[in-house]
């Protein structure tokens, strides 16, 4: 820990009602500037016990163990008691998505900064609450930060660099719903492992009224990446710049045996009964949304399958430009590791290849070792293994980013607030359209 730091600039974490393993991943690494003593406020139950088990694993691992000290306060009135005591200055939230925005609001009103996992809202009617919450943080000089981990994935970072080089990409192709300029698909899996162990899902995870559908939950990352990539460091006004055109939803069937395997509980809870047919539960976790942002046509798909054939989730993202397409994809050919490709338009083949090599040369100062190789008619961006840190490590990168803003709240980019509103406008409106359809 940093001994010389003034106490009020030392981050003192408060974990409130941890109900998703992302709350623990914020503590997977210890960073200078964060006190090792963390307060936890939560009801006694399986959510809290699962959280404590992960922290224990971090403290007891053989390589680079953490040394967290926990002050645990078990109470059904966790929010009220946390606000009354305020034993720290940064509240960490993850899980219980529908009621999360109320906890964020209460934390900010109590003068506490917030580092929260997505999604902050899952309903259109809460968009104005989100706007109020972000304005409140500004008024109080506090930091309210969304854990956008996918901004730190190396293939996505490099994709952004190439899309914003006109010599490589040109400009985004004209809007065409049959061939969108941006297409992304994210495939997650219900049964998976975290930190090397099977990850049990709490039964409420499957309640879309509580946790949200695919688009309003994990789809938040995809919607976030579109303006972050196409219009870097620019504010988006969702009222003027975005037109959501359509939304779709469909179910992944989960049998009673599968439900027991992934939750550890027998039988479906009563809140899921409207979606249960015999011994099969229809989990409405899959969405598609089509929208236009500043003239760029976008199509996003968010899918939840039962189990990954490769043990990983999948991310596919293509940006189509007038000179080339820049694409991240995961296939068996590449051992399901995300890889980045540039596919030049025929007439621009040689010019794009030359511009790409020049761009990669300029990137050596930030990413030494990144290279270009021919892959048939495509160009493959070779990424050294040291940059492939994995999804769980991205949480440490987000926390480090948050630390900088905590030390200097005014350094938080001005575009973050409007773009956060734009992001949640798309996710909630897309699902609202899908439900009406």
């Amino acid at each position: 820990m940093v001994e010389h730091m003034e106490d009020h600039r030392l981050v003192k974490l408060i974990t409130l009602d941890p109900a998703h393993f992302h709350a623990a991943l914020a503590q997977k690494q210890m960073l200078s500037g964060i006190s090792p003593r963390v307060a936890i406020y939560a009801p006694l139950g399986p959510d809290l016990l699962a959280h404590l088990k992960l922290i224990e694993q971090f403290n007891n691992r053989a390589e680079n163990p953490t040394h967290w000290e926990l002050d645990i306060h078990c109470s059904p009135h966790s929010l009220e008691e946390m606000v009354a005591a305020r034993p720290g200055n940064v509240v960490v939230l993850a899980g219980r998505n529908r009621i999360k925005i109320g906890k964020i609001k209460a934390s900010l009103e109590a003068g506490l900064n917030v580092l929260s996992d997505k999604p902050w809202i899952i309903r259109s009617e809460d968009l104005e609450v989100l706007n109020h919450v972000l304005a409140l943080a500004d008024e109080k000089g506090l930091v309210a930060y969304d854990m956008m981990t996918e901004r730190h994935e190396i293939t996505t970072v490099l994709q952004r660099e190439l899309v914003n080089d006109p010599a490589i990409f040109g400009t985004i192709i004209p809007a065409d719903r049959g061939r969108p300029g941006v297409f992304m698909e994210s495939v997650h899996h219900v049964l998976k492992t975290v930190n090397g162990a099977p990850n049990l899902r709490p039964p409420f995870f499957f309640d879309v009224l509580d946790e949200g559908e695919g688009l309003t939950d994990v789809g938040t990352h995809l919607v976030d990446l579109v303006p972050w990539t196409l219009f870097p460091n620019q504010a988006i006004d969702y009222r003027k710049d975005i037109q959501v055109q359509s939304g779709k939803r469909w179910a992944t069937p989960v049998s009673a045996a599968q439900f027991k395997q992934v939750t550890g509980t027998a039988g479906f809870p009563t809140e899921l009964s409207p979606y249960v047919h015999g011994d099969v539960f229809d989990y409405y976790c899959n969405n598609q949304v089509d929208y236009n942002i500043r003239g760029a046509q976008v199509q996003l798909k968010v899918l939840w399958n039962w189990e990954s054939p490769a043990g990983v989730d999948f991310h596919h993202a293509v940006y189509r430009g007038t000179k080339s397409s820049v694409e991240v994809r995961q296939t068996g050919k590449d051992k399901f590791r995300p890889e980045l490709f540039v596919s030049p338009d025929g007439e621009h083949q040689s010019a794009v290849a030359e511009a790409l090599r020049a761009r990669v040369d300029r990137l050596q100062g930030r990413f030494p070792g990144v290279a270009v190789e021919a892959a048939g008619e495509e160009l493959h961006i070779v990424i050294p293994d040291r940059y492939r840190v994995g999804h769980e490590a991205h949480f440490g990168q987000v926390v480090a980013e948050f630390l900088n803003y905590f030390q200097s709240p005014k350094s938080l980019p001005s575009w973050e607030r409007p773009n956060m509103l734009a992001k949640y406008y798309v996710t909630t409106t897309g699902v609202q359209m899908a439900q009406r359809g």
Side-chain angles (χ1 to χ4, degrees):
M1 294 300 96
V2 181
E3 298 288 346
H4 67 274
M5 293 182 66
E6 292 185 15
D7 190 60
H8 71 282
R9 300 319 300 165
L10 185 70
V11 167
K12 299 175 183 177
L13 298 176
I14 308 169
T15 304
L16 177 63
D17 295 336
H20 193 285
F21 68 93
H22 286 178
L25 290 182
Q27 292 177 240
K28 189 171 183 180
Q29 306 293 335
M30 303 199 77
L31 300 176
S32 295
I34 300 181
S35 169
R37 198 161 191 87
V38 178
I40 301 176
Y41 286 80
L44 180 61
D47 293 341
L48 174 60
L49 296 178
H51 177 77
L52 296 178
K53 183 178 179 180
L54 278 175
I55 301 298
E56 179 191 24
Q57 290 175 8
F58 299 157
N59 274 0
N60 293 323
R61 67 192 175 207
E63 184 177 346
N64 192 26
T66 55
H67 49 275
W68 299 108
E69 303 167 6
L70 305 181
D71 289 327
I72 304 169
H73 304 263
C74 296
S75 169
H77 308 291
S78 51
L79 174 61
E80 294 83 356
E81 292 188 11
M82 184 277 291
V83 167
R86 287 182 293 178
N89 48 23
V90 175
V91 176
V92 176
L93 286 161
R96 301 285 184 179
N97 296 331
R98 183 176 58 82
I99 59 176
K100 188 185 295 175
I101 190 65
K103 296 176 184 178
I104 294 171
K105 180 173 179 288
S107 298
L108 292 168
E109 287 174 340
L112 301 169
N113 300 273
V114 173
L115 177 61
S116 177
D117 190 33
K118 56 75 196 156
W120 285 33
I121 61 171
I122 62 173
R123 305 179 302 176
S124 291
E125 54 263 39
D126 287 332
L127 191 66
E128 190 51 45
V129 182
L130 175 62
N131 185 34
H132 169 75
V133 158
L134 297 176
L136 181 64
D138 287 347
E139 291 168 11
K140 287 178 168 284
L142 299 169
V143 180
Y145 202 56
D146 202 353
M147 295 185 191
M148 289 291 97
T149 53
E150 294 305 308
R151 295 182 188 178
H152 297 272
E153 160 59 37
I154 185 61
T155 52
T156 299
V157 171
L158 294 175
Q159 184 177 47
R160 185 192 197 210
E161 293 285 341
L162 304 185
V163 165
N164 285 282
D165 190 325
I168 297 170
F169 185 70
T171 57
I172 196 79
I173 63 172
D176 179 353
R177 291 188 65 174
R179 188 170 182 263
V182 180
F183 173 79
M184 279 195 272
E185 183 177 78
S186 175
V187 184
H188 282 66
H189 301 87
V190 177
L191 185 65
K192 65 195 303 185
T193 60
V194 175
N195 203 41
N199 180 48
L200 289 180
R201 308 274 188 186
F204 73 79
F205 171 85
F206 296 92
D207 184 356
V208 295
L209 297 180
D210 191 35
E211 290 301 280
E213 300 190 13
L215 179 61
T216 44
D217 186 10
V218 295
T220 308
H221 288 296
L222 302 189
V223 180
D224 178 75
L225 290 177
V226 174
W228 184 81
T229 301
L230 284 180
F231 312 110
N233 306 320
Q234 297 178 44
I236 301 296
D237 183 342
Y238 73 88
R239 296 178 181 85
K240 299 177 181 178
D241 296 331
I242 295 176
Q243 299 82 44
V244 181
Q245 299 151 332
S246 66
K248 299 178 182 177
R249 71 197 291 251
W250 61 99
T252 292
V254 178
S255 70
Q258 288 175 323
F259 191 82
K260 182 177 181 181
Q261 180 185 7
V262 77
T263 64
T265 60
F268 299 110
T270 55
E271 58 265 25
L272 302 184
S273 57
Y275 312 102
V276 175
H277 310 282
D279 67 345
V280 175
F281 159 59
D282 287 334
Y283 180 29
Y284 276 94
C285 51
N286 307 299
N287 295 105
Q288 175 181 315
V289 65
D290 294 84
Y291 63 100
N292 188 290
I293 177 169
R294 288 189 178 176
Q297 186 65 40
V298 180
Q299 183 178 94
L300 307 178
K301 291 184 177 181
V302 183
L303 312 175
W304 278 88
N305 294 336
W306 172 247
E307 186 175 10
S308 172
V312 296
D313 295 329
F314 303 115
H315 176 75
H316 177 210
V318 55
Y319 290 77
R320 299 182 174 105
T322 53
K323 293 182 179 179
S324 70
S325 293
V326 182
E327 183 173 2
V328 173
R329 57 179 179 251
Q330 289 175 262
T331 66
K333 180 181 177 182
D334 299 308
K335 299 181 179 179
F336 297 102
R337 187 167 73 166
E339 297 289 350
L340 180 60
F341 296 87
V342 175
S343 302
D345 184 270
E347 63 178 301
H348 299 290
Q349 185 85 33
S350 58
V352 167
E354 182 179 352
L356 179 59
R357 290 189 172 90
R359 181 71 175 187
V360 169
D361 283 345
R362 295 195 297 274
L363 287 171
Q364 293 305 305
R366 292 170 56 198
F367 304 105
V370 170
V372 182
E373 67 177 10
E377 295 184 353
E378 295 183 312
L379 297 160
H380 173 224
I381 310 304
V382 180
I383 302 171
D385 287 344
R386 63 180 175 274
Y387 299 123
R388 298 181 181 273
V389 297
H391 173 65
E392 293 186 15
H394 294 155
F395 283 87
Q397 294 172 315
V398 169
V399 174
E401 201 169 44
F402 173 84
L403 278 172
N404 290 330
Y405 300 138
F406 176 83
Q407 298 298 330
S408 177
K410 291 184 178 180
S411 67
L412 183 69
S414 60
W415 52 264
E416 284 280 11
R417 176 179 167 186
N419 290 15
M420 194 169 173
L421 290 169
K423 171 175 62 183
Y424 286 111
Y425 169 73
V426 172
T427 60
T428 58
T429 303
V431 166
Q432 185 181 61
M433 285 185 170
Q435 292 171 344
R436 289 175 177 173

